[in-house]
Amino acid sequence: MGEIEIIGEINQDTYINVIAQARLIKADAKSIDVIIDSPGGNEAVSDKIAAFLDTLGKPLTTIQTGIVASAAVKIFLKGSVRKANANFPFLIHNTHVDPKQIPVNLDANNSQALANMLQESRTSLASFYAQATGNNLQAIMAVMDQDKPMSADQALALGFATEVTNEIPILAKLNMTKIQEYIDKIKASFAPVPTPTPTPTPAPVAMYEVGKPAPDLKEGENPQPDGSIVVVE
């Protein structure tokens, strides 16, 4: 059995770390436990992690060992077996907007556009949850609107979890040195390849017979490598 840990806020480094951990899983592993303790984070990165887990081609068991909230829920739902923990909160909510991303010159037009975008995102996310859990869309939306943690039993009743546990598994002792090596290689593969600076071609140097002084040049006269002089009008 293999194991992947997703701990803390989800960002691009989380994605790279997941790939690095996956490379340590033996090819003959029958299944993979995905340990999750995360308040969420970047939803686009969460989608990338979920898609990557699909590529591993092995049964997944997702195990809650701390908070599972927001973008982390999408990853939790990738498990065919999903263990919610009665000791920790589980949270789904509507899409939030970072206040820093709201235009300073917000007016009636772009505020309505923002509201429409949030509503579309809410419907899309609720539809995803409803399909993944087999639950009613309106029931999912009602829970999202509450924006407060649910219990493990509620997560089970709504279909987010397939079972409830009180246990906190002992995490595997990961080979952090090897993981860091993989992380460095993966980051390097993502980095843009610098464009080499072309080496300038040196201008031809006029050659003259040894012992003969270089000619005095007038304006417009250009010495050539063969010793001749070209006049540029």
Side-chain angles (χ1 to χ4, degrees):
M1 181 184 68
E3 181 175 294
I4 292 174
E5 297 176 10
I6 299 174
I7 311 296
E9 183 178 352
I10 295 171
N11 52 39
Q12 182 67 7
D13 285 342
T14 312
Y15 175 56
I16 293 172
N17 193 282
V18 166
I19 297 174
Q21 291 181 66
R23 292 186 178 181
L24 292 179
I25 296 174
K26 295 181 179 179
D28 60 354
K30 302 297 184 183
S31 61
I32 299 174
D33 284 351
V34 182
I35 309 300
I36 305 175
D37 175 5
S38 171
N42 188 304
E43 187 172 345
V45 174
S46 174
D47 289 340
K48 287 167 61 177
I49 292 173
F52 173 76
L53 293 175
D54 280 337
T55 69
L56 300 179
K58 298 180 184 295
L60 302 177
T61 296
T62 48
I63 304 172
Q64 179 182 13
T65 60
I67 185 172
V68 171
S70 193
V73 174
K74 281 191 171 183
I75 300 173
F76 185 81
L77 286 170
K78 296 307 295 183
S80 54
V81 176
R82 303 184 293 276
K83 298 181 179 182
N85 196 300
N87 299 297
F88 302 106
F90 194 100
L91 174 67
I92 61 173
H93 58 73
N94 291 319
T95 303
H96 294 167
V97 176
D98 185 344
K100 296 177 182 178
Q101 297 179 344
I102 298 177
V104 176
N105 58 338
L106 193 67
D107 59 21
N109 289 327
N110 51 28
S111 63
Q112 184 59 52
L114 179 61
N116 292 341
M117 182 273 290
L118 289 172
Q119 184 59 42
E120 290 174 4
S121 177
R122 171 179 181 263
T123 302
S124 175
L125 187 58
S127 297
F128 170 81
Y129 287 152
Q131 182 176 7
T133 62
N135 212 309
N136 178 275
L137 178 63
Q138 298 305 317
I140 294 291
M141 283 184 167
V143 177
M144 291 171 63
D145 289 343
Q146 292 176 14
D147 198 359
K148 64 180 183 181
M150 69 178 83
S151 67
D153 287 335
Q154 288 174 310
L156 178 65
L158 286 169
F160 286 92
T162 59
E163 60 184 85
V164 174
T165 179
N166 288 298
E167 298 178 0
I168 301 177
I170 299 174
L171 302 183
K173 186 176 181 181
L174 299 178
N175 186 337
M176 296 309 298
T177 300
K178 196 67 177 177
I179 288 177
Q180 189 58 52
E181 289 178 7
Y182 284 134
I183 288 173
D184 292 340
K185 289 179 181 179
I186 295 166
K187 283 186 174 180
S189 71
F190 288 163
V193 179
T195 303
T197 303
T199 304
T201 304
V205 179
M207 304 296 292
Y208 300 98
E209 293 182 32
V210 178
K212 289 187 178 182
D216 294 330
L217 300 177
K218 299 177 182 179
E219 185 177 356
E221 294 181 341
N222 295 290
Q224 304 299 303
D226 61 1
S228 62
I229 296 175
V230 175
V231 179
V232 180
E233 301 293 342

